[in-house]
Amino acid sequence: MTAQAFWDRHAPKYAKKPIADVTAYEEKLTCVMALLRSTDRVLEIGCGTGGTARKIAPVVANVTATDLSAEMIRIARSRSGGDAAETPEFLQAEAAQDIPGQPFEVICAFSLLHLVDDIPTVLDAAFHQMKPGGRFISKTVCLKDAPRWMRAMVRVLMAARIAPHVIILSRAELTRHLIRAGFEIEQTRYFGKNRLSPFIVARKPA
């Protein structure tokens, strides 16, 4: 099963799933908002059903939000409404695809990089589409830092096609990927009790 087929199939269930840790999510959102300016053009890759993109849209110039899954994008669009100027533009696209509206001041990738086929290619694309001085804001599951039993369980779930394909990487490896792409790390932190999903803010040199 391809990644697109997996997420198209799971999109309705994903859309109904509540946020696992509301406090941690709100802390992340507050941190993201503090990094944004009203003039920013923002791209979110791997937007899912668009919840975060819709929260960001009212405080920036515009938001383009993409996802590999056509069904995720359909749901995201169906949930949009109100002021068109404060509604993200939702597009079906691969994570490394060139997106209209570039260069962007901010590119976000939340719970995405561990799910793509090729992290370097995705980061190179983000770097290319970003304005000098812009920020890449990400939160990524780093399962190599998890207990061995957890990694084994994920591999079993992947083999059974219950879980999507996941790249098993560490925070250190993720940081090296970002630096290799040309980014400078500004901050790394965690929200809530989860210590497997670092929130990393990286900047493209001006």
Side-chain angles (χ1 to χ4, degrees):
M1 182 185 298
T2 65
Q4 181 179 342
F6 178 92
W7 290 112
D8 281 345
R9 177 181 175 184
H10 285 81
K13 182 178 180 180
Y14 176 91
K16 296 176 183 178
K17 186 177 179 180
I19 296 172
D21 188 334
V22 174
T23 299
Y25 176 77
E26 293 296 337
E27 289 177 356
K28 180 194 78 174
L29 192 61
T30 297
C31 187
V32 172
M33 293 291 198
L35 297 168
L36 300 176
R37 299 170 298 181
S38 61
T39 55
D40 284 342
R41 291 161 294 174
V42 179
L43 170 65
E44 184 186 2
I45 53 177
C47 69
T49 53
T52 299
R54 285 191 295 273
K55 290 181 182 294
I56 290 173
V59 304
V60 297
N62 59 69
V63 175
T64 301
T66 69
D67 199 277
L68 174 68
S69 166
E71 185 63 13
M72 291 283 194
I73 293 299
R74 185 194 68 77
I75 294 171
R77 288 172 176 163
S78 73
R79 291 180 170 183
S80 297
D83 189 346
E86 296 183 353
T87 300
E89 179 182 11
F90 290 106
L91 301 174
Q92 183 191 5
E94 295 184 1
Q97 189 170 323
D98 270 8
I99 303 300
Q102 59 180 284
F104 299 96
E105 281 79 21
V106 177
I107 297 180
C108 300
F110 301 125
S111 300
L112 172 73
L113 292 179
H114 59 290
L115 298 174
V116 302
D117 290 332
D118 188 336
I119 292 175
T121 297
V122 171
L123 293 179
D124 285 345
F127 191 87
H128 167 72
Q129 297 182 79
M130 185 179 294
K131 186 176 180 180
R135 287 189 173 101
F136 183 80
I137 306 174
S138 65
K139 186 169 178 282
T140 308
V141 177
C142 294
L143 281 173
K144 192 173 282 188
D145 298 328
R148 184 176 299 177
W149 65 265
M150 187 179 294
R151 299 197 300 271
M153 181 179 68
V154 169
R155 290 189 176 98
V156 170
L157 293 175
M158 284 193 289
R161 297 184 178 179
I162 297 172
H165 175 73
V166 177
I167 296 176
I168 309 294
L169 79 162
S170 67
R171 169 181 151 179
E173 289 170 340
L174 176 59
T175 299
R176 287 195 292 271
H177 281 306
L178 286 161
I179 293 171
R180 183 214 59 82
F183 292 105
E184 299 172 348
I185 307 300
E186 283 195 336
Q187 64 168 290
T188 301
R189 59 183 297 188
Y190 296 90
F191 301 107
K193 297 180 180 179
N194 186 338
R195 291 297 180 269
L196 297 179
S197 299
F199 175 88
I200 299 178
V201 180
R203 183 184 287 273
K204 179 176 181 176

